[in-house]
Amino acid sequence: MRRVTKRWGQVATRGTGDAEPGRDRAIAIAGTDAGGRAAARRAQAEQREGRVAAGLSELERWLADQVAQGIAQARQTGLADWDDLARRLVDAQAPGVAGTVARLSRVLHAEDWPGLLLGEYALLHLLAVAHRRAAALPEPLRQTVRARVGFPVTRESVLATAAVRDHWDVVGSRDEEQERLVARRVWLAGRTTGRAAMVLSFTPAGQPPDASLALGTTIDADLAFYPGASPLRALVAERYGLADAGPPPGTTVSRVPALIAEVLTADPWADSWPLVLAGVVPCLDGLADEEGNALPLHPSAGVPWRLLAVSGGRPVTVAAEWTPRGLLPLTTWDEEGGVVRL
Amino acid sequence: MTVPWEELVCAALVGADRRGVPPESLLEQAAEQVVRTRAGRRPGRGGPPAPAAAETLPLVPGAAADRLARMLGGEQGRLLTEWLETAAARRVRVPAELIPGLLDLGARDRSIRAYLGAVTGARGRWLAGLNSAWAYLLAEPAHVPPDEVWQLGTSGDRRAFLAALRRRDPAAARDLLARGWGAETPEDRTVFVTILADGLGMADEPFLEAVLDDRRREVRQAAADLLTRLPESRLARRMTARVRRFVTRRGAGVRAEPPAACDAAMERDGVRARPPAGMETRGWWLQQVVAHTPLSFWPGHLGMPPDEIAGTRIGEWEREVRMGWTRAAILQRDTTWARALFEAEPLTDLLAVLPPEERSQRAAELVAGHPVDGQMVMMLGGVPRPWGPRLAKAVLKKIVETTRTQPWNAGELVRLAGERFDPAMHTRVVEVPELAAILRFRFDMLEELA
């Protein structure tokens, strides 16, 4: 099972910043000796840099055009425009940006869509400019920019970095189907380091996804992080065992703003971060501490009835995904310490 | 110095060109503000709900809770009602995280609400207070009869209280009801009247006769339904006087003529003037008058015993008169009439009037002589669980036969048998694997709840 997942994990990484095996194979066939292969790979990489740079400068011009002409028509013309633009960005080998553009249509559901859309355009603009000036950026931020643009990072290079060993609580997971693949995000929280991590895996739709990280368990493991200014995505490099540790420790509502500010200072494009909150009372539209300070839920989350049911109006531990528009509850722990997926 | 966000949005909407702003500069300012706003967001004020009351019932065992979660996810979903019924009888509660899913089901399916009232405990009622779609739960008894429940309890608690009192002391229950009658809601009045069915007697007649003047049709009708069970009641006498003119002996047969009008006196006695869609108006009146006439009236009036009456041709309006008698047999729980009418036409509803042993026997006979079709499945659907050995044997034989000859036709019968057979039979039906699987599931399910 694991082997299958792994194989697909590599094939399925278009748009997620991993290597592209199909392309590698083509190069391997083209070049016969080792030196030729390396040269071919270099040429290929240079070609890609050129295509991405051209694609992103076209994006910059497109964004400036939109804002110059006015975005009032986006509701009518947006879907077709973004589709077209996303396709051109895929051709330009910038799958990360292409994905962001393809997801723009989500803002149209909101009442304040003009503000949300301007925000998204502004961050895309920032990304294109940052890529253009990448040479001047500190290395971690440059890596973040390249990852967001969609440059591949191989598993091998990630596994070659210094790993972080900790007791990692598996605090949340979510599956999302995209193009006949199920993308599974598993969020982890380190007991000693206090670090957050996200392990991404892909499985063809209809097959059981990778179940090696079970919600509610705690694993003693080495995690290798993908490079970046605010690293979150990680691989399990080595597992030492399963620790029986009970519900994870959590932070408080009042500490969340500083934590998020730190994440965004390092990576202004961050739009997802896992949080474990202890002692929060779920409300109909947010999570409150006992002083009544509340973090709002994402509008699409609806009323968190299961979470409310478990809490009964009393403080509980909740794992949630932070997003710019509010929290998406992931997990809670009941009175008996049992894990409840939300 | 910083341009307000709203102004940036405005400029972007109408176009930076028209505002004379370089678009790149607008995008850069916007980017800076978006990140600053996201990073600088302070918590707002939240209004957490008041905490739920403490639970009084023990939690269901873990294996049973896991099975319930799987059933809510779709596995053997048709057996959910039995799970809930059993758990309610065992006086255990379900894990909190499963309550919202159950309450959503209850919002669509009234038949499980009484069980939900019992198994969702204090947490269920707390959630029902937060979500109007679940408010129905507050009308269900909660297994916690506090003191002074009649004055202060929820609607469901008061119904349970009245039903218990009625069982102990019918007169006291009626007097309690009569004292505060005017202050009750129409929904409660309707249910309270039906509770008087238990231990019904002529002592209740004056109260029920007065209820016929209620403003609500549902309340009047509930009272009329009970009064027809009392042949000495004034309503029974009025109905008899009416029907005497509409249904008469004609030679060897019977002739029917529907009422020409539905007057106010008839409406007061529970006759609904407006027919259901697709029904002829006068025939509808006739059917209701027959349905509300004491069955003991007919043998004397028509000069025939019930079994002969049930087999007689009537000619025009035959359908309406038969439906009236059927309804009367059910309302008046008259086994003689139910048996006679069932002989003439095997209607499921009539089986419910018969004692369990006989019900099982008659259903078994019917199964043996009929092909598997929608009508048979519907008839069997009216026979509650558990099916006696005789019926189970007949149905199993039918399933085995049908599986051999018309396998596509056996599915619904197999599923119904799975729900109604004694689950201990799971080892004795191996020739029908699907049936064995359902029975095995129920067997384990009931073990976990024991």
Side-chain angles (χ1 to χ4, degrees):
Chain A
M1 179 52 54
R2 279 202 70 152
R3 199 172 309 135
V4 170
T5 310
K6 220 182 219 169
R7 181 161 57 82
W8 276 94
Q10 289 175 352
V11 174
T13 43
R14 279 162 300 143
T16 60
D18 272 359
E20 290 164 73
R23 195 168 292 276
D24 287 349
R25 224 175 5 253
I27 299 162
I29 294 162
T32 43
D33 59 287
R37 267 207 299 279
R41 210 172 280 144
R42 256 197 317 279
Q44 204 86 37
E46 269 165 38
Q47 195 184 35
R48 178 171 195 152
E49 294 287 346
R51 281 194 188 140
V52 171
L56 290 184
S57 73
E58 192 207 333
L59 173 68
E60 258 190 86
R61 275 196 306 279
W62 186 88
L63 288 167
D65 265 4
Q66 295 298 306
V67 172
Q69 305 296 319
I71 60 172
Q73 293 303 308
R75 270 211 144 147
Q76 287 74 46
T77 59
L79 288 181
D81 286 356
W82 298 327
D83 242 31
D84 192 42
L85 180 63
R87 212 168 306 125
R88 291 205 302 277
L89 286 163
V90 168
D91 290 344
Q93 292 183 268
V97 199
T100 309
V101 170
R103 286 190 295 274
L104 283 175
S105 58
R106 292 185 187 174
V107 305
L108 295 183
H109 302 301
E111 209 170 297
D112 55 341
W113 69 266
L116 292 174
L117 184 58
L118 175 61
E120 293 297 325
Y121 278 178
L123 287 170
L124 278 169
H125 171 81
L126 189 66
L127 185 62
V129 173
H131 180 259
R132 179 154 52 79
R133 300 186 193 149
L137 298 178
E139 182 57 19
L141 186 56
R142 199 180 74 86
Q143 295 287 359
T144 294
V145 170
R146 288 179 68 82
R148 298 255 171 225
V149 167
F151 280 100
V153 178
T154 61
R155 286 177 74 87
E156 293 67 35
S157 70
V158 173
L159 291 172
T161 60
V164 181
R165 182 166 179 178
D166 202 344
H167 284 184
W168 298 94
D169 290 308
V170 182
V171 297
S173 83
R174 189 186 303 125
D175 292 349
E176 218 170 281
E177 201 174 321
Q178 43 187 41
E179 295 174 37
R180 300 183 305 284
L181 288 172
V182 176
R184 169 165 289 188
R185 283 177 172 71
V186 180
W187 287 279
L188 305 158
R191 288 244 169 179
T192 323
T193 57
R195 284 189 72 161
M198 189 270 289
V199 175
L200 183 62
S201 63
F202 292 89
T203 321
Q207 286 188 23
D210 179 12
S212 59
L213 297 170
L215 187 65
T217 59
T218 306
I219 57 162
D220 177 5
D222 279 338
L223 253 54
F225 285 80
Y226 281 70
S230 190
L232 181 66
R233 189 175 168 198
L235 295 172
V236 178
E238 182 106 34
R239 276 178 83 138
Y240 302 101
L242 210 61
D244 187 12
T251 184
T252 61
V253 168
S254 55
R255 287 209 194 107
V256 169
L259 195 157
I260 294 303
E262 195 185 324
V263 169
L264 288 170
T265 307
D267 175 2
W269 300 280
D271 55 3
S272 164
W273 199 263
L275 300 172
V276 180
L277 297 155
V280 284
V281 187
C283 318
L284 295 175
D285 58 357
L287 301 177
D289 65 13
E290 291 188 86
E291 281 89 57
N293 302 311
L295 298 168
L297 297 182
H298 193 285
S300 76
V303 178
W305 288 117
R306 277 163 64 83
L307 177 56
L308 276 161
V310 172
S311 77
R314 290 188 189 77
V316 286
T317 296
V318 181
E321 180 188 5
W322 171 87
T323 79
R325 298 187 62 200
L327 302 183
L328 292 164
L330 294 168
T331 310
T332 190
W333 286 262
D334 65 20
E335 292 150 59
E336 286 81 29
V339 64
V340 178
R341 181 191 297 277
L342 297 171
Chain B
M1 205 199 103
T2 317
V3 182
W5 175 249
E6 290 69 24
E7 257 176 57
L8 290 179
V9 176
C10 254
L13 270 172
V14 301
D17 283 356
R18 287 175 66 179
R19 294 286 169 99
V21 188
E24 293 82 4
S25 146
L26 198 159
L27 283 165
E28 259 147 47
Q29 291 178 61
E32 197 188 322
Q33 289 209 25
V34 165
V35 179
R36 194 183 320 129
T37 311
R38 287 180 181 182
R41 186 162 291 150
R42 310 300 310 165
R45 299 299 298 172
E55 299 292 350
T56 54
L57 299 176
L59 196 60
V60 76
D66 291 346
R67 185 180 297 268
L68 175 62
R70 296 205 306 277
M71 291 169 84
L72 281 169
E75 186 181 342
Q76 300 286 5
R78 288 167 54 135
L79 302 178
L80 197 62
T81 306
E82 190 179 8
W83 193 101
L84 294 170
E85 185 187 345
T86 312
R90 300 271 189 281
R91 303 208 160 208
V92 288
R93 70 186 157 88
V94 301
E97 73 264 24
L98 299 181
I99 296 175
L102 285 169
L103 294 184
D104 279 343
L105 284 182
R108 298 193 293 272
D109 180 0
R110 285 169 180 278
S111 70
I112 60 170
R113 290 181 180 180
Y115 308 134
L116 293 181
V119 302
T120 60
R123 199 61 57 87
R125 289 193 298 289
W126 180 78
L127 286 166
L130 295 174
N131 185 344
S132 59
W134 299 336
Y136 66 83
L137 192 74
L138 302 174
E140 299 301 333
H143 274 186
V144 276
D147 302 333
E148 301 187 323
V149 63
W150 186 249
Q151 281 74 35
L152 306 170
T154 67
S155 186
D157 286 330
R158 298 180 71 226
R159 290 171 191 182
F161 177 85
L162 186 70
L165 179 61
R166 178 72 179 180
R167 259 194 305 281
R168 276 200 316 278
D169 186 347
R174 185 185 59 242
D175 293 345
L176 179 69
L177 199 53
R179 271 200 298 281
W181 186 248
E184 305 292 358
T185 66
E187 291 73 25
D188 279 344
R189 293 204 300 276
T190 310
V191 177
F192 289 155
V193 167
T194 59
I195 287 171
L196 297 184
D198 191 6
L200 184 72
M202 273 306 282
D204 300 311
E205 199 268 354
F207 174 73
L208 290 170
E209 174 70 28
V211 171
L212 291 176
D213 290 318
D214 200 280
R215 292 183 302 280
R216 273 293 186 107
R217 179 172 54 74
E218 290 82 358
V219 184
R220 292 198 300 274
Q221 213 151 21
D225 285 352
L226 290 192
L227 285 168
T228 59
R229 294 192 204 170
L230 301 169
E232 302 304 312
S233 69
R234 280 167 278 176
L235 176 125
R237 288 206 297 272
R238 289 195 296 274
M239 282 295 178
T240 310
R242 280 184 195 114
V243 85
R244 188 184 291 284
R245 291 178 280 128
F246 304 144
V247 183
T248 49
R249 178 75 186 250
R250 174 65 61 92
V254 170
R255 185 177 176 281
E257 177 63 35
C262 180
D263 57 29
M266 276 165 75
E267 283 207 62
R268 179 175 180 271
D269 286 346
V271 176
R272 291 168 66 178
R274 279 172 57 92
M279 213 171 160
E280 204 280 326
T281 309
R282 291 174 63 213
W284 167 239
W285 297 337
L286 177 64
Q287 178 184 320
Q288 292 180 92
V289 171
V290 173
H292 286 93
T293 301
L295 287 161
S296 56
F297 162 76
W298 295 107
H301 177 62
L302 297 176
M304 287 186 266
D307 54 340
E308 251 178 72
I309 297 175
T312 305
R313 308 305 317 169
I314 302 177
E316 213 187 342
W317 311 108
E318 174 165 321
R319 185 96 214 120
E320 284 75 9
V321 174
R322 281 191 185 287
M323 289 297 289
W325 281 331
T326 300
R327 179 100 184 98
I330 294 161
L331 275 178
Q332 296 167 38
R333 317 246 165 99
D334 190 312
T335 49
T336 309
W337 274 85
R339 216 167 276 139
L341 291 162
F342 192 83
E343 289 286 344
E345 188 183 1
L347 287 172
T348 311
D349 295 349
L350 290 166
L351 282 180
V353 181
L354 300 176
E357 186 52 31
E358 186 182 348
R359 186 159 59 203
S360 202
Q361 172 62 28
R362 284 187 178 271
E365 284 163 15
L366 215 70
V367 167
H370 265 73
V372 177
D373 56 13
Q375 199 196 350
M376 183 209 267
V377 170
M378 215 165 87
M379 185 275 294
L380 285 171
V383 185
R385 168 190 79 236
W387 285 352
R390 226 195 296 247
L391 178 55
K393 202 176 145 205
V395 170
L396 184 59
K397 186 157 173 272
K398 204 79 192 175
I399 289 174
V400 172
E401 276 171 27
T402 313
T403 314
R404 229 181 359 246
T405 54
Q406 303 171 291
W408 59 89
N409 241 344
E412 194 49 35
L413 190 57
V414 167
R415 283 186 285 277
L416 191 61
E419 288 165 37
R420 305 289 168 89
F421 278 21
D422 176 355
M425 281 182 72
H426 72 91
T427 52
R428 280 173 279 148
V429 297
V430 284
E431 64 266 50
V432 189
E434 191 191 348
L435 178 58
I438 303 175
L439 292 177
R440 179 60 203 263
F441 187 96
R442 284 178 58 213
F443 186 81
D444 294 342
M445 173 178 103
L446 298 177
E447 287 274 290
E448 287 160 2
L449 284 166

